[in-house]
Structures are given as structure tokens and as C-alpha cells.
Amino acid sequence: SALPEDWAARLVSWPYLGGYLPGAVDAAAYEASIHEVVAQTEEGARWLRHIESFSRSERRRWTHSPLPLVVLLGHDATASASTGVSATEELQDPQHMGAGGGSGEQCLSNNSPARGVDWVEAEKIAKNSKKLPEFWVKKYEKDAVRNWDKFYRRNTSNFFKDRHYLGNEFQEIPRRCAAGSTTIVELGCGVGNALLPLLAAHEPLSGLGVDCSEIAVKLLAERAEQEGLAARCFVDVCDIVAATPENWKFCPLGQADFVLIMFVLSAISPDKFAPIAALSRALLKPGGILLFRDYGRYDLAQLRFCQQRQASEISPNFYVRNDGTRAYYFTTDELREIFHDAGLEEVQNEYQERVITNRKREVTMSRRWIQAKFRRPG
């Protein structure tokens, strides 16, 4: 059968049968007329709606392979997790991971290479990525907001998990809230997976979230109302790519205790990084802190992009997904330069990773991200 035996368990954990990207296994299952079987569960019905929202020609282009896919060759025993690791854990996205306490997780210093990554081999793999024609590069840039609207129309609030770990990762937030009223601005808030858990956990905190997707902002406003947080949660539509301190109208400049940028900069063209860093500085009060998380260089997902048969590279380390959204993979040195040039001081800037080894299949995989904090002097 084209439908995997464990399809129900997969769809509980992932939006698609192969993980976080639609792929060949989804297309094959959909074409196999198994709709009545899958639709018997809530997750299966959601999956059907997702797949049906793509055209047949789009489904034919899906080449993303289901797990397991071996792309990393590091085998450091000190970084190994227990045997029998599930496919769900192998695919877990860095957006859902805290840094502390997880089996196989490491916090690495600013320039420390990841133990689970063979950097020589990773660089070789990265060089094999296929470059998109210039027409498509320009089209994906032009349609960036439209593609995020399509993403949230398709997935609503169900794709990303709420990030309840942020209060532990960024201890500055609870410490500041203990002293009194605190403000946070999130650039690229999506449907509130970061902002709402923070507001729920810290009553002195009030927040503004902006996002380029009108659909995401509407979903966030509805969630805030349902969760009783609307009085402290303010949301608006703003494409931060076009925002500057001069045209910013959503809150006073220089008043935020924190600016939060979570897996957002990676979705934007690299030539826009500097203006967004400058806007972040302008929003912060003297002594305020920018809190940052995003994908790290040679994360498992990047190397998968490089191994796809279809072209996906927009520019070095910058790729397009099947749904038209994009992803850039950073180094700590790049981030240091971006935010230092904007006038911010580095507080933290380090790779974090989860390395998982399944000894039975002799597979070692590494999910890598960067966690950083930058302070406005004063």
C-alpha cells in the first residue's frame, strides 16, 4: 500500500507523512485513493485538506524523501542519544526545541563546530545544491508575503507548537517582569507561538506582535481573545522587510525592554538583514535586549535541500521550500557582524544542537540552531 502502516502516528506528530515538508510519500498516498481511511481521524482529515490545497502539478514536483535519510556522517559517541530513537525525534524542528536537559543536546561556544557534523563532508554536500533560475529567484521574492498567507491559510494555527521553553531560555524576561511592567515587541509573530506563551506565563508583560501575513495576525488576535490575553497583546500587519524607524507607526521607538526575532530572519533575503537589525535597535530602550533564535549552518534541513533532485538554492545558504517559503542558515560570525553594525552589543551568540544517533540503523543526525542576545548600549 502507498499509505505507510504508521500513518496515524506520523500525522499526530507531523503535518505531513514524511515530516515537516510535503513529499513523494504524501503524493503517492493521496493518489492511492485512501481518502476514506485517512479521513476517519482528525489528523488525517487535516492532512487531506493540506494536500488538496496543492494542485496536481505541484504534487508531482514533490521529491522530499521520508525519513530516515542519512546526510550527516559524524559519529561522536559522546553526542549520542539512546538507542531506538523514534523518527519523530529525528525530524524534530529546532523551532520546537529548548536547549537544556534534552538527551543529546549541546550548547556550543561561539566558534565551536558541532560535534554531530562532519564539516568537511557538509561543505561538500552544500556545494552540490542546485541553483534556481533567476526568474524563480525574483518570483519567490515578489511572492514572499503571498506564500506566507497561503501557508497560514492552509495550516491555520496547527503547524508550529507553542514555545513554552522561552522563559527558561531567556531568563532576562522573568527577571525583568519581577521588577514591574515589561514590554516586548515580536517581529514576525506568526500566530503567536512565542508571544502568547510568554504573556500567559508573565502577567507584568505586555507585547506587540507584527507579521507580514494578514491571515496570521487575524489568527493570533483570535487566539489572544480566546486565551484571555487580548488586553496585553497588541497585533498588527507589518512587512518588516519594508519597515524602517522613519515609517514605523505601531509603537513608540526606544521603549521596548525586549525585541524578539524567532526563526524569522532566515525567511528573508539576506540583503534585508541589516535594515531589520537597525529597526530592532531603534525599538529597544537603552539597555534593552534583542532575543534571537534561528537556523544554524549545516543543519540537517540545509543538507537535505542540497541533496534534492530539484533546484532549491536561491543564493549561498538560502533555499526555497516546496510551499514557496524560504530558509537561510546562519553562522555566529554573520550574526555578530549584522547586529554589531546596527549598534548592538553581543551578550550571547552560540550554536545549539541536538545530535541523535540511532545505533540500530547507524544513523547520526544533527539539528542546529543559533541562540543569541544583543543589547542596546546605555
Side-chain angles (χ1 to χ4, degrees):
S1 170
L3 187 65
E5 291 183 4
D6 61 343
W7 66 269
R10 294 187 185 204
L11 293 180
V12 168
S13 301
W14 310 329
Y16 301 104
L17 292 172
Y20 289 99
L21 292 173
V25 65
D26 297 280
Y30 183 80
E31 298 297 334
S33 300
I34 44 73
H35 301 193
E36 291 185 5
V37 175
V38 175
Q40 293 177 12
T41 70
E42 180 181 348
E43 292 80 13
R46 181 201 66 205
W47 174 82
L48 279 174
R49 292 194 298 271
H50 287 186
I51 304 305
E52 288 169 352
S53 68
F54 293 94
S55 68
R56 189 171 187 180
S57 62
E58 287 176 317
R59 293 196 295 270
R60 285 175 175 172
R61 293 197 295 268
W62 291 347
T63 59
H64 173 69
S65 301
L67 284 179
L69 176 64
V70 182
V71 295
L72 297 179
L73 303 180
H75 290 278
D76 186 340
T78 63
S80 299
S82 61
T83 58
V85 174
S86 69
T88 303
E89 291 174 295
E90 289 174 359
L91 243 193
Q92 192 173 13
D93 192 280
Q95 298 205 38
H96 304 149
M97 296 178 185
S103 178
E105 287 185 359
Q106 305 166 39
C107 298
L108 305 171
S109 62
N110 289 358
N111 296 306
S112 173
R115 294 181 182 178
V117 175
D118 183 327
W119 280 77
V120 174
E121 184 64 26
E123 288 175 356
K124 289 180 181 178
I125 294 173
K127 289 178 181 178
N128 292 329
S129 60
K130 299 175 181 63
K131 183 79 164 58
L132 285 166
E134 189 63 23
F135 168 82
W136 288 104
V137 171
K138 292 180 179 178
K139 179 172 176 57
Y140 286 124
E141 175 67 22
K142 178 182 177 182
D143 293 345
V145 174
R146 178 172 175 266
N147 286 331
W148 278 111
D149 273 335
K150 289 171 64 177
F151 174 91
Y152 286 113
R153 186 179 295 113
R154 179 181 301 122
N155 297 295
T156 63
S157 300
N158 300 319
F159 194 86
F160 299 116
K161 298 176 183 177
D162 281 350
R163 296 160 182 155
H164 295 285
Y165 58 80
L166 290 180
N168 292 326
E169 294 302 312
F170 300 123
Q171 288 287 323
E172 293 84 353
I173 296 177
R175 284 200 296 265
R176 179 64 186 82
C177 287
S181 178
T182 304
T183 57
I184 187 168
V185 176
E186 184 176 11
L187 302 180
C189 60
V191 296
N193 299 108
L195 187 58
L196 292 181
L198 285 172
L199 293 175
H202 307 289
E203 190 171 343
L205 185 66
S206 60
L208 165 69
V210 299
D211 198 276
C212 67
S213 170
E214 185 174 349
I215 294 173
V217 168
K218 181 180 178 182
L219 289 168
L220 171 51
E222 291 173 354
R223 286 192 63 195
E225 187 70 34
Q226 293 167 1
E227 297 176 24
L229 299 171
R232 294 187 287 121
C233 181
F234 307 93
V235 296
D236 216 324
V237 178
C238 172
D239 185 359
I240 60 173
V241 167
T244 66
E246 290 73 29
N247 65 21
W248 181 262
K249 61 181 181 180
F250 305 100
C251 67
L253 296 175
Q255 299 298 312
D257 294 290
F258 302 101
V259 168
L260 184 63
I261 304 180
M262 291 282 297
F263 296 95
V264 169
L265 211 58
S266 57
I268 296 170
S269 295
D271 62 337
K272 306 297 195 305
F273 293 165
I276 294 171
L279 174 63
S280 301
R281 183 191 185 281
L283 288 168
L284 288 168
K285 63 174 59 172
I289 299 177
L290 167 70
L291 307 171
F292 180 93
R293 262 194 173 207
D294 221 321
Y295 298 112
R297 186 68 48 85
Y298 302 143
D299 172 54
L300 171 64
Q302 179 181 6
L303 299 185
R304 284 184 172 170
F305 276 123
C306 300
Q307 294 187 321
Q308 288 180 349
R309 287 176 291 177
Q310 67 189 55
S312 60
E313 183 186 271
I314 297 172
S315 61
N317 307 303
F318 191 36
Y319 308 87
V320 64
R321 302 184 182 95
N322 288 328
D323 61 4
T325 61
R326 301 171 297 175
Y328 185 86
Y329 295 84
F330 292 92
T331 67
T332 52
D333 289 339
E334 285 177 323
L335 285 180
R336 182 179 301 110
E337 181 177 355
I338 291 167
F339 292 110
H340 179 270
D341 290 350
L344 296 174
E345 300 173 340
E346 181 180 301
V347 178
Q348 177 191 16
N349 183 19
E350 62 188 18
Y351 294 109
Q352 296 182 347
E353 69 173 358
R354 176 171 291 173
V355 180
I356 301 172
T357 297
N358 187 319
R359 294 191 182 94
K360 183 176 180 180
R361 294 202 302 265
E362 297 185 352
V363 174
T364 298
M365 298 186 180
S366 176
R367 298 312 311 263
R368 309 192 71 217
W369 64 95
I370 295 174
Q371 182 162 300
K373 305 170 190 174
F374 296 90
R375 180 187 293 112
R376 176 172 177 173

